[in-house]
Amino acid sequence: MGNTKISGAEAVIKCLLEEGVDIIYGYPGGAIMPVYDELYKFKDELHHVLVRHEQGATHAAQGYARATGKVGVAIATSGPGATNLVTGIADAQIDSTPMVCITGQVGKHLLGSDAFQETDIIGISTPVTKWNYQITEASEIPEIIAKAFYIAKSGRPGPVLIDITKNAQFDEMEFSYKKCTSIRSYHPKPILNINKVQSAAALINNAKKPFIIWGQGVILSQAEAELKELIEKSGIPAAWTILGLSALPTSHPLNVGMVGMHGNYGPNVLTNECDVLIALGMRFDDRVTGNLATYAKQAKIIHFEIDPAEVDKNVKTDVAVLADLKESLTALLALIENSTHESWHNEFKAKYEIELEAVINEELQPKKEGISMGETIEMINKHSKGDAILVSDVGQHQMFACRYGKFNTTKSNVTSGGLGTMGFALPAAIGAKMGMPNREVVAIIGDGGFQMTIQELGTIFQTKVPVKIVVLNNEFLGMVRQWQQLFFDKRYASTEMINPNFIAIAEGYYIKAKKVIKREDLDSAVAEMLASKDSYFLEVMVEKENNVFPMIPTGASVSDIRLS
């Protein structure tokens, strides 16, 4: 590209275009105004979505990134604009979501003077970003933005924040852009050690009761085909973490369900009976392991992982294969013997029958008058045929969506995992739908989380993005209430919700809305929602004390999972 003098603000836009960015989510303000002025000139090439709160910008960028696999972009002004991004940035960091956030900052000469809307966003965001940097000279813009995109998407992905002072946006510079392909001392992909793969293969081939748990690493490294081939060749039962969900179709016969606090009975109990545990792109989060002192102590642990910091962090491994998962699984496949492990599978089937009888049938075909959350998810499955992207918020409805949602395609389950951010789903669904306009996107939200980012209904109204919103209303902060019921003698401290008229609010934003109170109206309402070409709001009044089971109590072993 020829060198021409342009402003730093124009350079920011040109850098984004060079990186193939098509949508950014943001909110203007004084310190970022020069960039917005340039955005106005480039509005045909770069679509800016005006959210209603900067937190909405980060969650929308996350939803876009999770549904597409591309880098999400959010932009905000200094001070409160920047600090409002922090929750979404922290969420993206713990869930390994590639995102670039650009914030405006006061002029270089004012830094450190407590100027109007000045906060040290670099200091604030350091613990929750993969990398951050403050640009104080226009000439730095192309190199730093190129680095930002490379760091955000390479290796284990994550969020990057770039803070740009106002003088750097106004000043002129010679513009040329070169994409970043490497950074000295940053090695995002460890070099595969084939000896480790051979050691792993030997353990797997000799195992009598091998068990696979896969996480989001499968999706991030685009290793879905390799995962499927591995389990089909080896015959090993495979379970998923919440963020790994949808990498393998839920209907696959070797897919044995979900591990963790509200996971399936069999995969949790049999974790402590397998002889070889193969962890693929997952980090042994405490919600998956329960009490570490009793977790899979009888098993040899094989950990396939890209981030060295995750190996031996929580669970001691016998063989650690450090590499990009697609690469390491490809190498493993050549060494794995064909097997079926039929009697081991029968143990999973037997445990599933116990759970079916004790929990699942009661949830999906309830005897009570009130509608259950599980049957609402099942109704969505019926009409979406497993082809929708489900974007869930955080709480009981999230666990029901993950437990009972049906998925045929990867990148179809978008939720806040590690941070557990209420308010995530509504803006994330906007981003997911804009990223994947040809797919149906359904947000599953509780009445509590919905009110944390309810203002993003305004973004839906203004952009006309056809998101489907389902609020499962139990008039409680349901997950906290469940814990209070089970562990605090039903002292429902500050968990009962006195809610507004959600239908009137949705209609106030000109979004078609319907409320379901009786079971007989649920089928037709879900059908109408999914048939709508426009956005649609569906409120389903569900059982007030509908609990999620199975459940591993905090600090308990995975073997101590409760069915009631």
Side-chain angles (χ1 to χ4, degrees):
M1 221 173 171
N3 289 4
T4 47
K5 278 210 156 183
I6 60 171
S7 72
E10 187 179 343
V12 171
I13 305 301
K14 290 201 159 175
C15 293
L16 295 176
L17 292 170
E18 289 276 351
E19 288 292 341
V21 176
D22 52 357
I23 299 178
I24 60 175
Y25 299 90
Y27 206 92
I32 197 69
M33 219 177 284
V35 170
Y36 269 88
D37 189 49
E38 292 300 332
L39 255 176
Y40 184 80
K41 299 172 194 173
F42 285 88
K43 59 185 175 202
D44 293 337
E45 294 159 78
L46 189 55
H47 179 45
H48 175 270
V49 177
L50 175 64
V51 294
R52 293 302 183 265
H53 186 287
E54 293 88 353
Q55 182 183 345
T58 44
H59 293 329
Q62 284 178 279
Y64 174 92
R66 293 270 290 276
T68 64
K70 296 194 277 196
V71 179
V73 181
I75 183 168
T77 194
S78 62
T83 58
N84 281 344
L85 297 176
V86 171
T87 297
I89 293 171
D91 195 286
Q93 172 78 342
I94 201 164
D95 283 354
S96 306
T97 304
M99 180 163 72
V100 170
C101 295
I102 295 170
T103 51
Q105 185 54 278
V106 299
K108 182 182 175 182
H109 68 291
L110 290 170
L111 287 172
S113 71
D114 290 337
F116 177 66
Q117 291 197 331
E118 183 196 359
T119 53
D120 175 12
I121 195 59
I122 294 297
I124 290 168
S125 67
T126 294
V128 293
T129 47
K130 189 174 173 186
W131 184 61
N132 64 14
Y133 188 90
Q134 185 173 71
I135 294 174
T136 57
E137 304 291 339
S139 59
E140 297 178 285
I141 287 169
E143 184 193 351
I144 296 303
I145 290 184
K147 263 190 182 178
F149 276 85
Y150 174 65
I151 291 170
K153 67 188 173 194
S154 59
R156 180 182 183 174
V160 171
L161 182 133
I162 304 302
D163 193 40
I164 312 177
T165 58
K166 205 162 181 182
N167 61 288
Q169 296 171 53
F170 275 126
D171 290 348
E172 294 216 318
M173 50 151 332
E174 298 271 345
F175 183 77
S176 66
Y177 196 76
K178 185 166 173 268
K179 280 199 179 185
C180 180
T181 54
S182 67
I183 298 169
R184 195 177 65 188
S185 81
Y186 169 58
H187 306 292
K189 282 189 186 183
I191 294 160
L192 180 64
N193 179 340
I194 198 67
N195 295 333
K196 296 281 191 185
V197 181
Q198 288 165 342
S199 301
L203 279 175
I204 293 167
N205 288 334
N206 290 315
K208 299 282 180 282
K209 293 183 170 186
F211 181 37
I212 287 171
I213 300 176
W214 86 82
Q216 193 188 197
V218 173
I219 296 169
L220 295 174
S221 68
Q222 301 177 340
E224 294 93 345
E226 289 77 8
L227 169 71
K228 185 168 181 281
E229 194 180 335
L230 171 65
I231 65 168
E232 287 173 357
K233 185 176 183 183
S234 65
I236 299 175
W240 37 269
T241 69
I242 279 177
L243 294 187
L245 174 55
S246 85
L248 187 74
T250 36
S251 59
H252 194 286
L254 296 173
N255 182 342
V256 295
M258 172 167 124
V259 290
M261 181 173 274
H262 291 289
N264 293 102
Y265 184 60
N268 275 308
V269 171
L270 296 176
T271 295
N272 281 358
E273 292 181 29
C274 67
D275 57 359
V276 176
L277 179 60
I278 306 125
L280 305 177
M282 55 84 84
R283 59 189 181 85
F284 291 111
D285 172 72
D286 62 293
R287 285 286 166 110
V288 163
T289 64
N291 185 349
L292 284 167
T294 58
Y295 183 77
K297 290 298 172 193
Q298 77 297 338
K300 295 281 188 201
I301 309 283
I302 304 170
H303 196 177
F304 284 78
E305 177 57 54
I306 197 167
D307 184 355
E310 291 298 347
V311 173
D312 296 333
K313 185 175 87 176
N314 295 327
V315 172
K316 188 86 185 80
T317 54
D318 293 279
V319 179
V321 183
L322 274 167
D324 177 81
L325 194 59
K326 193 178 184 79
E327 194 185 340
S328 55
L329 287 186
T330 302
L332 180 69
L333 278 165
L335 305 171
I336 290 294
E337 294 165 5
N338 288 302
S339 190
T340 57
H341 296 292
E342 200 171 331
S343 61
W344 176 226
H345 270 290
N346 289 336
E347 293 191 40
F348 282 89
K349 285 175 184 160
K351 294 278 189 284
Y352 179 74
E353 288 302 320
I354 294 168
E355 184 180 349
L356 188 67
E357 185 66 32
V359 178
I360 297 170
N361 287 341
E362 199 172 313
E363 182 59 39
L364 300 188
Q365 297 145 15
K367 315 276 186 294
K368 291 178 187 164
E369 197 177 302
I371 302 167
S372 78
M373 294 195 197
E375 70 178 306
T376 309
I377 303 299
E378 188 75 342
M379 194 61 76
I380 292 166
N381 292 334
K382 174 185 165 183
H383 291 286
S384 72
K385 305 195 169 29
D387 291 328
I389 295 175
L390 297 190
V391 184
S392 53
D393 211 78
V394 170
Q396 288 180 315
H397 62 277
Q398 175 190 33
M399 294 299 117
F400 282 116
C402 291
R403 280 181 53 80
Y404 298 109
K406 297 280 186 284
F407 301 101
N408 304 325
T409 320
T410 189
K411 297 190 188 73
S412 296
N413 172 55
V414 177
T415 193
S416 170
L419 198 65
T421 306
M422 290 175 69
F424 171 87
L426 188 61
I430 294 169
K433 182 64 180 176
M434 287 181 169
M436 301 297 284
N438 296 326
R439 294 195 64 192
E440 194 68 74
V441 173
V442 183
I444 314 280
I445 317 179
D447 48 312
F450 180 55
Q451 291 178 84
M452 288 199 171
T453 49
I454 195 169
Q455 71 279 353
E456 298 309 327
L457 292 174
T459 308
I460 293 171
F461 165 54
Q462 184 164 343
T463 59
K464 303 286 181 272
V465 60
V467 169
K468 309 298 162 64
I469 305 150
V470 179
V471 166
L472 301 179
N473 185 357
N474 57 7
E475 298 178 315
F476 266 113
L477 296 176
M479 187 61 90
V480 186
R481 185 212 54 76
Q482 177 169 337
W483 284 47
Q484 289 171 335
Q485 178 185 339
L486 298 175
F487 309 117
F488 294 88
D489 298 325
K490 292 194 177 181
R491 290 187 295 278
Y492 294 157
S494 302
T495 44
E496 191 165 0
M497 302 286 282
I498 307 299
N499 289 318
N501 181 338
F502 289 136
I503 300 298
I505 291 169
E507 288 176 342
Y509 284 103
Y510 302 97
I511 294 168
K512 182 155 192 196
K514 183 166 267 191
K515 182 172 185 171
V516 173
I517 297 168
K518 295 189 178 133
R519 179 171 288 118
E520 55 264 32
D521 300 328
L522 184 62
D523 195 333
S524 61
V526 171
E528 183 181 311
M529 172 184 77
L530 288 174
S532 173
K533 296 276 182 280
D534 303 313
S535 54
Y536 193 106
F537 177 84
L538 180 64
E539 179 183 11
V540 182
M541 299 304 294
V542 293
E543 274 285 328
K544 276 194 161 195
E545 298 190 43
N546 180 194
N547 288 336
V548 196
F549 286 107
M551 180 182 188
I552 302 167
T554 306
S557 164
V558 289
S559 306
D560 299 330
I561 187 165
R562 293 172 55 165
L563 289 166
S564 62

